[in-house]
Amino acid sequence: MSNTNTNNSQKTLDKRIIRSKRAIRDAFFAELQKKEYSKITITDIAIAAGINRKTFYSYYDGVESLFEEIETELINKFRPLFSTLDLKSTTFSARSFFNEFSKLARDDFEIYHLLNQCGQLPHLFGKVQELVVDIIMSQVEVEIDDPHEKARLMLMSEYVAAGILSMVSHWIANPGDISLDEFTDIAGNLTLYGLSKTVVPQSDI
């Protein structure tokens, strides 16, 4: 019986934590729509979330740690997908990759758009770029001892990662110009064919 009571108490506590953290996060996003990120205070968030500052501090050290948690969660959603970027694979499908990418982007588009408006999207994408480069380099660096060749691969990895994220950033800033489906096609064509052949859309990827 005591174990049952303990489990029930733990479940109640877990639900309370989830509810409180969701309220804090919603309040943070609400404040982002009203003021600059650097001007948001813990008091602002606490008032908007209907909690006291002590409750906020029981989960986060400050606004920065809250934002860092949000960034980490967004990045982790893409980690499995970016792990499929295999430079040595002959069966890699750019269309499939960007189709999956677009599904993930749709899920949190409002958050990305808000982060772009408040100037925090580059910070997030900087971390994503580091992740992509690390994943690409991890596939080949073990097999390559030549420092010059590693430097060349690092440069190409940075180019690939920066190119993808630059396109995503532009699309998020201007979502009405090109649909997400068209973005997926353009990104897939660029990945496989480069700029010269992407000017004339390819029928298949």
Side-chain angles (χ1 to χ4, degrees):
M1 181 66 70
S2 60
N3 287 338
T4 301
N5 290 335
T6 299
N7 290 337
N8 288 337
S9 297
Q10 184 62 46
K11 289 180 180 178
T12 300
L13 178 61
D14 290 343
K15 288 181 179 179
R16 187 180 303 123
I17 292 173
I18 293 172
R19 187 165 55 248
S20 296
K21 295 185 75 171
R22 183 181 297 122
I24 290 171
R25 184 168 301 197
D26 289 345
F28 171 69
F29 287 133
E31 290 301 307
L32 270 182
Q33 297 180 54
K34 297 187 294 185
K35 61 179 65 174
E36 296 177 13
Y37 168 75
S38 60
K39 294 182 179 180
I40 296 176
T41 66
I42 294 171
T43 300
D44 293 332
I45 296 174
I47 292 175
I51 60 173
N52 55 45
R53 288 168 55 91
K54 183 178 179 180
T55 300
F56 179 95
Y57 279 118
S58 65
Y59 303 116
Y60 304 104
D61 295 331
V63 178
E64 293 77 11
S65 64
L66 167 60
F67 182 64
E68 184 176 347
E69 181 181 87
I70 293 171
E71 281 190 320
T72 300
E73 289 183 7
L74 291 172
I75 292 170
N76 285 340
K77 286 186 177 182
F78 284 97
R79 189 181 294 273
L81 176 62
F82 284 131
S83 295
T84 66
L85 283 169
D86 188 353
L87 295 179
K88 296 176 291 184
S89 174
T90 58
T91 60
F92 174 74
S93 170
R95 174 66 64 80
S96 296
F97 175 86
F98 283 104
N99 276 338
E100 290 302 312
F101 186 94
S102 66
K103 290 178 184 177
L104 292 173
R106 280 192 178 97
D107 290 342
D108 296 303
F109 174 76
E110 291 185 4
I111 295 178
Y112 296 127
H113 188 59
L114 185 56
L115 293 180
N116 180 68
Q117 287 182 320
C118 70
Q120 293 303 306
L121 191 63
H123 188 270
L124 170 64
F125 278 0
K127 291 186 176 182
V128 176
Q129 182 170 331
E130 291 176 1
L131 169 64
V132 175
V133 171
D134 286 345
I135 288 173
I136 294 175
M137 291 301 296
S138 68
Q139 300 170 15
V140 294
E141 63 182 355
V142 176
E143 304 172 8
I144 298 176
D145 296 325
D146 184 357
H148 177 69
E149 187 62 22
K150 281 189 177 182
R152 289 180 67 252
L153 286 170
M154 176 64 77
L155 187 62
M156 288 186 283
S157 299
E158 292 280 0
Y159 176 82
V160 171
I164 292 174
L165 294 173
S166 179
M167 287 182 64
V168 175
S169 181
H170 178 81
W171 175 75
I172 289 174
N174 306 276
D177 294 345
I178 296 177
S179 69
L180 187 52
D181 290 333
E182 187 176 358
F183 165 83
T184 301
D185 287 338
I186 293 172
N189 278 321
L190 277 171
T191 301
L192 286 184
Y193 304 114
L195 184 61
S196 61
K197 292 186 178 180
T198 305
V199 174
V200 179
Q202 308 294 314
S203 57
D204 292 303
I205 295 182

